[in-house]
Amino acid sequence: MRETPKGTSRPLDHTGDVALEVRAEHLNGLFAAAARGLLGILFARPPSAATDGTVQEDTTLTLTASSLEELLVAWLDEVLFLVQTRARVPADLDVVVREEGGAWRLEARLGVAPLDAQAQEWQGEVKATTHHGLHVEHRQGGWRAEVVFDV
């Protein structure tokens, strides 16, 4: 796999839940930035392979969906499952998203670190990624998504 382009995420005001706006020049970067944004909700100090060398293993994921919105929900729910059920936190993300035969496919390689709630400063549980207000769009200059998490 190749290096995933960078993107950004920022919290949005949302009553009762947590919402993110995610932007990136490329679709791969959008999905990586969404995962990093989710990790920023879960942890004050999520691990980073570039800064702390905590990666202990690699995990791969392949997901398919009929729309980019459905793929984004599936992707973020997989990241939640990895953290909250497997006690593994993505520290390095390499994401490739492409359209294949009328469906969308995501392939990801994640360098994961063990969950360390104290060192990573666990901030609280996210129950799920919702479909409320969910959208992914391509605009001049890049990609943009809004996603809401049930907390």
Side-chain angles (χ1 to χ4, degrees):
M1 294 189 140
R2 60 184 196 271
E3 182 179 332
T4 300
K6 303 294 183 219
T8 62
S9 66
R10 70 177 180 88
L12 296 174
D13 289 333
H14 194 277
T15 305
D17 290 319
V18 176
L20 284 179
E21 175 188 48
V22 186
R23 293 179 181 266
E25 186 176 340
H26 302 283
L27 191 54
N28 298 341
L30 184 81
F31 276 71
R36 285 191 296 273
L38 171 57
L39 294 173
I41 293 167
L42 295 170
F43 304 100
R45 296 172 35 105
S48 168
T51 59
D52 59 21
T54 59
V55 171
Q56 292 188 354
E57 62 188 82
D58 284 340
T59 296
T60 58
L61 291 172
T62 301
L63 303 168
T64 58
S66 60
S67 70
L68 284 173
E69 289 82 6
E70 291 297 324
L71 189 62
L72 184 60
V73 169
W75 163 239
L76 295 172
D77 281 346
E78 284 292 328
V79 172
L80 278 173
F81 178 80
L82 188 65
V83 172
Q84 295 179 173
T85 303
R86 302 275 185 208
R88 297 287 181 262
V89 184
D92 184 30
L93 301 163
D94 186 6
V95 182
V96 176
V97 177
R98 65 179 174 270
E99 191 172 13
E100 262 184 18
W104 289 94
R105 180 180 179 92
L106 176 143
E107 294 176 352
R109 185 202 49 79
L110 302 105
V112 296
L115 174 65
D116 184 337
Q118 185 173 358
Q120 296 158 356
E121 298 181 26
W122 176 259
Q123 299 185 121
E125 184 174 344
V126 170
K127 296 177 194 170
T129 311
T130 73
H131 291 87
H132 177 76
L134 176 68
H135 71 273
V136 177
E137 62 186 352
H138 185 257
R139 293 182 169 181
Q140 185 175 9
W143 288 86
R144 181 180 177 279
E146 285 187 17
V147 61
V148 177
F149 299 98
D150 183 16
V151 292

